[in-house]
C-alpha cells in the first residue's frame, strides 16, 4: 500500500469520525417499590400514576420499573437491594415500613439516590417525602360533620403509626369545626390493603352508629360497604367515585407526578440534595376531588372556604387550642403543633373514642 493510499484512508477515517452521530446519555434508570398492587385504586395506584406522569414528562430520558405487593420488613430489603444492584440510580420506596430497609441499602450503595415516602430518616443519598395528607383529612371531616345525622363518624384505619393517627385527628378536628357534637370511632385492620377486612370494619362501624365513614386504607371496600348500607364515605389517596358514586362525597388525592419528575431531573443534572419534602394543598401535592351534588350548598361553601384557607396557609389543622382525650391541653391558643410533634403523634384529640393499639 503506497503513501497516497494511506493518506486517503486516514482522511476517510477522520471524516467518518466527525460525521458519526453522537449517542445521547443512557436513560436514568428509576425504580419504585410498592406496598400494594398498582390497581388498588388508592395509595399505590396514586404512586403509579405519578410514575407514569414522570415517564411522559421525561420521555426518552428515564427508564422506570416497579415491584408491587412488597411486604414491609426483610422482603423489602431484598427487593430494594436487588433494584440497586441492577443499576437503578434513583429508587423510590413508597411505604412507611420500608424506612429501615431503605436506610440500610442506601448505606451500601452510596452512588444511588433513595427517596422514602412518609418516613423521617435521611442520609447523604437518602431523602424523605410525603404529602400533608392530614390537610385533606381535615377537609373530609368538614364535609362529614355537615352530612352526618347521627353525629357519629367512623374510620377504617391501617396501622397505628403517626401518619395515620394524624389523619384520624385531623378528620375529627375538621368535623368538630362545623359540628361540636361529633364522636369518632376507629377500627384498626392492621393492613394497608385488605378489601375483606376493610369491608368488615366498615360494616361494624355502621352497626355501631356511624353514618359517614373515612379510611386510611387503600381499597374502595369501605366506600362500597357504605353505599350498600345507604351511608356516605370518602375516597382516599385517589378519586374513588367510580366505585360507589352515591356514597362518595369527595376524595383527598395525592399528586406525585411533579415531585417524581423534578427529582429525576435533579438526579440527572447532578443537583439532587438530601432533605425532606412535605407538600400539601398549597403545593398541589394534595387535591380534593369534586364534591358530590348531594352535599348542600351551605356545606359546600364552608368546605371551599376552609380549603382556600388551608391552601393559603392562613389556617392549619393543628392550631391551638387543642386538647387530647383526657382534656389536657396539647397546643395552647395562638400556637401550632410543632413539626417534630406532628411527625411523632401518638395521641388522640378529644372526641375520638378508644385507645391507640400498642
Amino acid at each position: 500500500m503506497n503513501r497516497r493510499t494511506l493518506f486517503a484512508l486516514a482522511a476517510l477515517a477522520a471524516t467518518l469520525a466527525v460525521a458519526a452521530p453522537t449517542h445521547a446519555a443512557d436513560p436514568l434508570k428509576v425504580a419504585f417499590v410498592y406496598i400494594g398492587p398498582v390497581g388498588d385504586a388508592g395509595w399505590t395506584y396514586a404512586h403509579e400514576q405519578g410514575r407514569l406522569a414522570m415517564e411522559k414528562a421525561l420521555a426518552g430520558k428515564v427508564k422506570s420499573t416497579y415491584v408491587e405487593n412488597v411486604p414491609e420488613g426483610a422482603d423489602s430489603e431484598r427487593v430494594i437491594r436487588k433494584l440497586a444492584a441492577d443499576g437503578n440510580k434513583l429508587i423510590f420506596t413508597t411505604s412507611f415500613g420500608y424506612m429501615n430497609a431503605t436506610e440500610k441499602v442506601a448505606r451500601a450503595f452510596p452512588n444511588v439516590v433513595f427517596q422514602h415516602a412518609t418516613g423521617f430518616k435521611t442520609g447523604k443519598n437518602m431523602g424523605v417525602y410525603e404529602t400533608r395528607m392530614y390537610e385533606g383529612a381535615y377537609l373530609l371531616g368538614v364535609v362529614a360533620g355537615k352530612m352526618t345525622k347521627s353525629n357519629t363518624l367512623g374510620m377504617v384505619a391501617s396501622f397505628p403509626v403517626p401518619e395515620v393517627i394524624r389523619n384520624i385527628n385531623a378528620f375529627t378536628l375538621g368535623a368538630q369545626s362545623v359540628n361540636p357534637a361529633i364522636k369518632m370511632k376507629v377500627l384498626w385492620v392492621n393492613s394497608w390493603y385488605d378489601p375483606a377486612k376493610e369491608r368488615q370494619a366498615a360494616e361494624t362501624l355502621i352497626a355501631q352508629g356511624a353514618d359517614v365513614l373515612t379510611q386510611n386504607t387503600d381499597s374502595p371496600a369501605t366506600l362500597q360497604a357504605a353505599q350498600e348500607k345507604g351511608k356516605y364515605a370518602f375516597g382516599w389517596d385517589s378519586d374513588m367515585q367510580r366505585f360507589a358514586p352515591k356514597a362518595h362525597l369527595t376524595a383527598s388525592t395525592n399528586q406525585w407526578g411533579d415531585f417524581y419528575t423534578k427529582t429525576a431531573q435533579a438526579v440527572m443534572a447532578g443537583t439532587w440534595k438530601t432533605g425532606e419534602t412535605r407538600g400539601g394543598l398549597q403545593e398541589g401535592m394534595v387535591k380534593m376531588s369534586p364534591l358530590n351534588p348531594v352535599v348542600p350548598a351551605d356545606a359546600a361553601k364552608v368546605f371551599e372556604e376552609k380549603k382556600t384557607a388551608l391552601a393559603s396557609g392562613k389556617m392549619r389543622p393543628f392550631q391551638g387550642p387543642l386538647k387530647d382525650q383526657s382534656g389536657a391541653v396539647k397546643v395552647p391558643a395562638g400556637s401550632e403543633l410543632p413539626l417534630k410533634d406532628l411527625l411523632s403523634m401518638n395521641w388522640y384529640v378529644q372526641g375520638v373514642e378508644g385507645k391507640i393499639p400498642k
Side-chain angles (χ1 to χ4, degrees), residues 8-72:
L9 289 172
L12 177 61
T15 301
L16 290 173
V18 172
T22 57
H23 294 282
D26 291 334
L28 177 71
K29 292 184 69 175
V30 186
F32 293 76
V33 183
Y34 294 150
I35 187 67
V38 294
D40 69 359
W43 175 258
T44 295
Y45 173 81
H47 283 285
E48 175 64 1
Q49 296 310 298
R51 182 187 73 85
L52 294 173
M54 177 199 70
E55 283 268 13
K56 182 177 181 180
L58 301 177
K61 297 179 181 179
V62 298
K63 182 180 180 180
S64 70
T65 188
Y66 66 84
V67 183
E68 59 186 337
N69 293 314
V70 178
E72 296 168 324

Side-chain angles (χ1 to χ4, degrees), residues 2 31 33 44 55 61 98 103 131 169 187 196 204 243 263 269 273 282 294 302 306 315 319 347 358:
N2 61 36
V33 183
T44 295
E55 283 268 13
K61 297 179 181 179
Y98 297 155
E103 183 186 39
T131 61
N169 287 339
L187 280 183
T204 299
F243 296 101
T263 302
K273 294 181 180 179
Q282 190 173 56
V294 300
V302 174
K306 288 183 178 287
M315 185 180 78
Q319 290 175 324
W347 50 274
K358 300 297 184 185

Side-chain angles (χ1 to χ4, degrees), residues 160-190:
V161 295
E163 67 172 278
V164 179
I165 296 168
R166 284 196 300 271
N167 293 330
I168 294 168
N169 287 339
F171 180 84
T172 304
L173 292 171
Q176 290 172 344
S177 74
V178 296
N179 184 346
I182 286 297
K183 294 180 181 179
M184 182 72 183
K185 295 180 179 292
V186 180
L187 280 183
W188 298 90
V189 296
N190 295 309

Side-chain angles (χ1 to χ4, degrees), residues 157-160 188-192 197 357:
S158 48
F159 293 100
W188 298 90
V189 296
N190 295 309
S191 174
W192 294 111
K197 284 185 177 180

Side-chain angles (χ1 to χ4, degrees), residues 201-212:
E203 291 173 346
T204 299
L205 288 166
I206 291 170
Q208 293 176 352
D211 61 353
V212 184

Side-chain angles (χ1 to χ4, degrees), residues 175-241:
Q176 290 172 344
S177 74
V178 296
N179 184 346
I182 286 297
K183 294 180 181 179
M184 182 72 183
K185 295 180 179 292
V186 180
L187 280 183
W188 298 90
V189 296
N190 295 309
S191 174
W192 294 111
Y193 178 77
D194 189 324
K197 284 185 177 180
E198 293 167 53
R199 170 179 287 276
Q200 184 178 32
E203 291 173 346
T204 299
L205 288 166
I206 291 170
Q208 293 176 352
D211 61 353
V212 184
L213 305 181
T214 190
Q215 65 187 73
N216 208 137
T217 49
D218 298 344
S219 88
T222 295
L223 261 166
Q224 292 167 326
Q227 179 159 300
E228 290 169 12
K229 299 291 186 179
K231 309 301 181 184
Y232 293 119
F234 301 96
W236 185 247
D237 295 322
S238 69
D239 189 340
M240 297 179 174
Q241 188 269 346

